[in-house]
Amino acid sequence: MEKLLLRNIDKENSHTIEVYLAGGGYGALRKVLKEMSPEDVVEEVKLSGLRGRGGAGFPTGMKWEFAAADIKEPKFFVCNADEGEPCTFKDRVIIEKDPHALIEGMLIGAYATGCRYGYIYLRGEYPIGKRILERAIAEAYEKGFLGENILGTDFSFDLYIHSGAGAYICGEETALIESMEGKRGEPRIKPPFPVNAGYLWKPTVVNNVETLANVPLIIERGGKWYSQIGSPDCPGPKLFPVSGKVKRPGVYELPMGTPLEEIIFEHAGGIVRDRKLKAVFPGGASSSVLTADEISVPMDFPSLAKAGTMLGSGAIMVLDETDCIVKAALRLIEFFRHESCGKCTPCREGTDWLVRILRRIEEGKGSEKDLEVILSISETMENSFCGLGMAAHNPVASTVRKFREEYLQHIKTGRCPFRSS
Amino acid sequence: MTYEEFREEIRKLVASNRYPSLKSYTLPALWIAEKNFPRIDAEIMRIIAAELQIPLIEVEEAARFYAMFHTEPKGKYIIRVCTNLSCMLNGAEEIVKELKKLLGIEVGQTTPDGLFTLEEYECMGLCDGAPALTVNEERFLRVKKEELPQILKKFGWQGE
Ligand SMILES: Cc1cc2nc3c(=O)[nH]c(=O)nc-3n(C[C@H](O)[C@H](O)[C@H](O)COP(=O)(O)O)c2cc1C
Ligand code: SF4
Ligand code: FES
């Protein structure tokens, strides 16, 4: 398929404004400012069917419509560049190789929603991306794409980077806003949603990097064209970061709905040393596991939900036959225990107990009853305050269900069958 | 950086007018401290609180919440070894073990000469280069155990 989102990244110096402009960059912004009203832009994005790429899959046009309808001033447009989901590195590619696509997408979104100020919430672990974005923002100011009266119109927009400092929870949009306000990253209750009461309780649009990179494309070629790519009920190109035990780990751009099997075996080159595929987490660390028999599933929001898991960030994590499923689940829940903000009990306690129980099973000291306890903790965690706790137990509970034999083997033999010593 | 210079930096930061609320400068201010001091100590927090007109406890809360801020002394170089899933599957544990041996310290500790702090870290978005580690802002991808002495020497390691 023609590369759309990644159309620029193989060009030399793709991160500079000269290269971006030479490829027609900022043409969509020009078109929007000269020919379209904010309502037209919202309509075009709604027509495209674009759904957010940050994990939740919320329709972008609808979000923008809500924000545009709010009359409180000023409004803020925030790009979520926190990219903290384990094994997700797709936004990094856009940030480092095509930062102007992101800035142009933000500008168009800000125009559509009436936002005067913008922030890119960038994870602290992307210092290289920070330098590239700083430079890109400076270039955009210099050329008159940012600042007062952009391209001679009434539209003004200032853009800044806000650096995170190592907290996965700050990717959750309300925790992100708390963090921008200078606080610990603890989620807020929803509603009210950020579009009505976000940063400093003013209307705030939060969109993911990849979501925004789609926007110039939609304006250039039309929402209708876009809506015909990939899956009908959630169209468009999608970036899939693939890692773990594949021969060619990397970010692959494919239409929404590409079968998981094709991504792993054709694009990512199959399993290392031609071993057997054992298990896949198809949508980041909080997705439920799929077994080797389940990988014909199309990679889009509804299909994966139907398969009992989720698309999330689209991060595909591949395990081969030599990998221990208990150890993998343990490592993921350790991550969530570390990142739990501690605000609510089901998540703070649940992640901690899951770590303890999984660790004793992995060390050969578990009992069969532990498996029932895991599933019951998992059920309780569904009632957590935010998405972190609500999903953190998925890799654990799903592996207990689908790889029960392997858990039992640890318990019965008193050791991990995959450890040599 | 001296405390007075730090105070000046915060004033400059606030003068940039990036945020409509003073408290929003907390993380940027902590970042300046993180980059210019061996640790974010009580005096630094007092300066931030005074300049941003917020209670000291709120600065302290933020300083202790984020993994990249050090309120305990750190070395000149922070080695962050990712041990999350993709790196783990590709041998991160071996890398940590070898670094502990070479540096003679445990995870979370700093070498006696103050050069290196060793941290096990969560995913840094470098998973296509697993196992990955960073030394301050520099990345090292698909790291092999045998390459570690070479990497350390780049940053002034004297060992063998
Ligand atoms: C625990 C948690 C972590 C999240 N991390 C991220 C993240 O790193 N990046 C991101 O874009 N969205 C993340 N999200 C989703 C955001 O809350 C939000 O839905 C998203 O930024 C909205 O943008 P979109 O509509 O363009 O997808 C996270 C959500 C949860 C619950
Ligand atoms: S679910 Fe976890 S991360 Fe979310 S509010 Fe509760 S403790 Fe914090
Ligand atoms: S898992 Fe190690 S960098 Fe992502």
Side-chain angles (χ1 to χ4, degrees):
Chain A
M1 174 186 135
E2 177 197 0
K3 276 196 181 158
L4 298 166
L5 285 171
L6 300 182
R7 65 193 183 286
N8 291 325
I9 68 156
D10 294 325
K11 298 177 189 167
E12 201 179 333
N13 293 324
S14 63
H15 61 286
T16 61
I17 200 159
E18 286 77 25
V19 175
Y20 190 66
L21 286 170
Y26 289 104
L29 176 69
R30 209 176 288 274
K31 179 170 167 187
V32 160
L33 294 186
K34 305 272 168 173
E35 299 169 22
M36 297 170 81
S37 69
E39 297 76 31
D40 293 342
V41 179
V42 170
E43 278 314 310
E44 203 62 39
V45 174
K46 276 171 84 176
L47 185 66
S48 75
L50 172 64
R51 290 172 62 171
R53 306 298 199 233
F58 192 81
T60 306
M62 210 190 283
K63 187 182 280 188
W64 290 9
E65 191 169 41
F66 293 150
D70 201 306
I71 53 166
K72 292 192 286 302
E73 296 277 352
K75 298 183 198 176
F76 299 98
F77 202 101
V78 176
C79 168
N80 189 341
D82 198 45
E83 187 150 77
E85 187 74 25
C87 304
T88 308
F89 47 100
K90 63 185 179 75
D91 297 342
R92 191 194 85 213
V93 175
I94 296 171
I95 292 164
E96 291 179 4
K97 303 277 189 189
D98 205 4
H100 285 287
L102 163 56
I103 295 171
E104 189 176 8
M106 280 188 90
L107 277 158
I108 294 168
Y111 173 74
T113 51
C115 295
R116 177 64 182 79
Y117 302 99
Y119 297 93
I120 300 174
Y121 189 106
L122 181 69
R123 70 178 303 196
E125 292 86 350
Y126 283 174
I128 296 171
K130 179 159 188 254
R131 284 196 289 276
I132 292 172
L133 277 173
E134 277 167 349
R135 177 185 159 154
I137 289 173
E139 287 173 331
Y141 268 106
E142 208 175 293
K143 296 264 193 239
F145 297 123
L146 284 172
E148 303 260 333
N149 301 107
I150 295 167
L151 299 176
T153 65
D154 287 344
F155 175 59
S156 302
F157 187 66
D158 284 298
L159 179 59
Y160 309 96
I161 297 173
H162 184 92
S163 285
Y168 164 70
I169 190 57
C170 291
E172 195 282 334
E173 55 189 10
T174 62
L176 179 150
I177 286 165
E178 288 280 299
S179 176
M180 276 181 54
E181 293 183 0
K183 304 178 203 155
R184 297 159 52 97
E186 283 181 14
R188 295 177 179 171
I189 192 102
K190 290 194 267 191
F193 291 96
V195 282
N196 300 119
Y199 179 52
L200 305 173
W201 302 98
K202 293 289 193 291
T204 304
V205 182
V206 182
N207 272 133
N208 171 260
V209 172
E210 184 189 348
T211 311
L212 293 167
N214 278 282
V215 170
L217 267 176
I218 290 170
I219 298 299
E220 273 165 37
R221 304 207 198 175
K224 188 154 190 304
W225 163 82
Y226 185 93
S227 71
Q228 284 154 0
I229 302 167
S231 302
D233 40 5
C234 84
K238 175 82 191 90
L239 299 181
F240 294 106
V242 191
S243 68
K245 292 299 194 58
V246 291
K247 285 183 188 160
R248 289 195 300 269
V251 175
Y252 295 93
E253 178 191 330
L254 295 159
M256 267 293 184
T258 302
L260 178 56
E261 184 166 20
E262 178 189 323
I263 301 176
I264 296 173
F265 285 94
E266 285 178 35
H267 303 285
I271 312 300
V272 289
R273 299 189 195 179
D274 293 318
R275 288 184 189 139
K276 256 170 51 192
L277 181 143
K278 171 169 179 168
V280 188
F281 295 96
S286 31
S287 61
S288 291
V289 76
L290 294 174
T291 64
D293 305 328
E294 296 173 310
I295 58 169
S296 57
V297 61
M299 290 290 286
D300 59 43
F301 290 105
S303 307
L304 284 166
K306 223 167 84 194
T309 178
M310 63 186 201
L311 181 65
S313 64
I316 298 170
M317 304 139 86
V318 180
L319 276 68
D320 75 30
E321 55 188 327
T322 67
D323 298 320
C324 173
I325 202 79
V326 180
K327 195 172 164 196
L330 170 60
R331 185 60 188 89
L332 294 178
I333 197 68
E334 278 174 344
F335 166 78
F336 289 115
R337 179 177 69 168
H338 184 255
E339 301 299 332
S340 165
C341 82
K343 176 176 176 130
C344 73
T345 318
C347 167
R348 184 186 62 238
E349 299 297 318
T351 51
D352 189 50
W353 278 105
L354 288 180
V355 167
R356 293 190 205 196
I357 297 170
L358 253 72
R359 194 171 283 159
R360 73 175 174 240
I361 296 176
E362 169 63 7
E363 286 168 0
K365 296 176 199 138
S367 70
E368 211 172 323
K369 205 171 146 246
D370 282 340
L371 302 185
E372 301 328 308
V373 178
I374 288 174
L375 295 179
S376 123
I377 293 172
S378 157
E379 216 179 292
T380 309
M381 286 178 71
E382 296 277 351
N383 303 311
S384 296
F385 187 83
C386 86
L388 188 149
M390 269 150 47
H393 54 94
N394 284 336
V396 180
S398 62
T399 50
V400 166
R401 291 202 180 91
K402 291 184 180 172
F403 291 88
R404 196 179 175 90
E405 276 315 304
E406 197 168 313
Y407 276 87
L408 286 174
Q409 206 181 345
H410 281 77
I411 291 163
K412 288 185 180 144
T413 61
R415 61 186 287 272
C416 172
F418 294 89
R419 265 191 220 186
S420 39
S421 55
Chain B
M1 192 179 267
T2 65
Y3 290 133
E4 272 323 297
E5 283 165 351
F6 177 63
R7 190 186 294 277
E8 269 317 301
E9 284 300 314
I10 298 188
R11 290 190 178 158
K12 269 193 247 161
L13 186 68
V14 171
S16 75
N17 229 351
R18 283 200 273 164
Y19 302 99
S21 101
L22 271 179
K23 189 169 159 68
S24 284
Y25 291 95
T26 308
L27 264 67
L30 287 167
W31 264 120
I32 295 176
E34 174 67 25
K35 289 201 172 156
N36 292 287
F37 293 92
R39 75 184 184 107
I40 300 173
D41 61 23
E43 183 57 22
I44 288 172
M45 294 191 220
R46 272 194 289 274
I47 294 171
I48 296 177
E51 292 300 318
L52 304 186
Q53 299 164 28
I54 52 177
L56 179 60
I57 181 72
E58 293 183 9
V59 180
E60 194 169 336
E61 271 183 1
R64 292 191 191 282
F65 182 77
Y66 297 92
M68 296 186 88
F69 294 145
H70 292 80
T71 49
E72 298 301 323
K74 62 177 189 284
K76 187 169 173 208
Y77 299 104
I78 300 176
I79 306 175
R80 297 187 168 98
V81 187
C82 171
T83 58
N84 212 304
L85 190 63
S86 287
C87 288
M88 181 189 95
L89 294 175
N90 286 289
E93 287 171 337
E94 278 294 299
I95 301 293
V96 174
K97 216 162 104 189
E98 185 71 8
L99 279 171
K100 287 204 286 195
K101 202 178 89 193
L102 292 172
L103 298 172
I105 53 173
E106 290 300 312
V107 170
Q109 293 180 341
T110 301
T111 50
D113 60 3
L115 207 50
F116 296 107
T117 300
L118 178 63
E119 296 184 353
E120 275 191 41
Y121 210 77
E122 297 297 354
C123 175
M124 301 183 278
L126 302 171
C127 340
D128 46 346
L133 66 83
T134 60
V135 182
N136 286 3
E137 301 197 342
E138 203 168 327
R139 300 168 180 166
F140 297 89
L141 307 177
R142 287 170 279 277
V143 178
K144 293 192 188 66
K145 205 166 94 177
E146 305 75 47
E147 298 166 356
L148 291 171
Q150 230 18 64
I151 293 176
L152 293 178
K153 275 182 193 156
K154 231 184 122 171
F155 300 93
W157 185 61
Q158 303 286 348
E160 248 337 296

